[in-house]
Amino acid sequence: MSTETALLSLDDYAGLEEPDERYVSDLVRGVVVREPRPGPPHGRVQMRIGYALEGWARRAGADVTAESGYILSDEPATLRGPDVAVVVHPRSGEGEPGGWIRGAPDVVVEVLSPSDTSTAMQEKTLDYLQAGAKLVWIVDPRARTVTVIRADRTARILRELETLDGEDVLRGFSVPLEELFAER
């Protein structure tokens, strides 16, 4: 008797309904991975960085999304929904399973939640970079830091009194971290 579970395709995953609204899910190498839905502190930081990026994107003709699906791989099927994402040259998900966008965003923002593990975050980061992301920003509201990871796998950690910028990927974008981590 085999206990192996069949891996899902992108089409299979697109046909699923989220069974429990307390969770969000991604498809990682054909397996549904569920995480607890984040709370308000996470959402506030997510909205603040999204708002700052949206202002830049309107001027630059780029696209900013929140929790939208990006197809990182067909085999094995991997679809992730970053907290915030920037695509410098917008592309459509028309014709793709679920209407999701094929390929990694140029910039991925993941806001850490209490349930996030270091292993899971490293796995997500590598998935994004291997699929073509140019920058991954790991935002830690508790430590009040942002770790910037580049496509060449170099990284730097910014503290609350520093300014996050878009480097050569989002030219002209910058936001003081203290604005992202303000109490209200």
Side-chain angles (χ1 to χ4, degrees):
M1 175 187 210
S2 174
T3 59
E4 290 183 29
T5 303
L7 299 180
L8 297 179
S9 69
L10 291 166
D11 287 323
D12 295 335
Y13 183 69
L16 295 178
E17 291 184 33
E18 186 64 47
D20 189 332
E21 291 184 10
R22 294 175 298 168
Y23 296 92
V24 293
S25 68
D26 286 338
L27 181 65
V28 181
R29 287 172 272 299
V31 176
V32 176
V33 175
R34 292 179 15 172
E35 297 178 356
R37 187 167 301 285
H42 177 282
R44 279 189 211 87
V45 171
Q46 180 181 5
M47 288 303 298
R48 288 177 186 148
I49 196 157
Y51 180 77
L53 285 164
E54 178 64 18
W56 174 88
R58 285 180 186 262
R59 294 186 301 277
D63 191 27
V64 176
T65 60
E67 298 186 18
S68 296
Y70 288 86
I71 300 168
L72 304 182
S73 173
D74 285 301
E75 285 297 324
T78 300
L79 175 97
R80 292 213 182 254
D83 290 318
V84 179
V86 181
V87 177
V88 175
H89 302 289
R91 52 194 190 264
S92 169
E94 189 175 331
E96 298 292 351
W100 300 308
I101 298 170
R102 184 165 294 281
D106 295 298
V107 177
V108 171
V109 182
E110 288 288 355
V111 180
L112 291 178
S113 297
S115 63
D116 285 324
T117 66
S118 150
T119 300
M121 196 52 59
Q122 288 176 11
E123 184 178 274
K124 280 185 184 183
T125 298
L126 288 172
D127 283 349
Y128 290 126
L129 293 173
Q130 288 170 345
K134 296 175 178 127
L135 291 172
V136 176
W137 296 342
I138 308 297
V139 181
D140 187 338
R142 286 183 291 175
R144 300 171 92 84
T145 62
V146 175
T147 303
V148 177
I149 304 151
R150 296 175 198 86
D152 67 3
R153 310 299 203 272
T154 60
R156 65 185 171 122
I157 300 173
L158 302 173
R159 294 189 182 273
E160 183 176 11
L161 298 178
E162 295 181 89
T163 298
L164 175 64
D165 67 68
E167 301 186 9
D168 63 342
V169 180
L170 308 180
R171 292 188 191 280
F173 173 80
S174 68
V175 63
L177 291 189
E178 58 193 347
E179 286 183 20
L180 300 181
F181 300 126
E183 293 302 318
R184 283 275 174 190

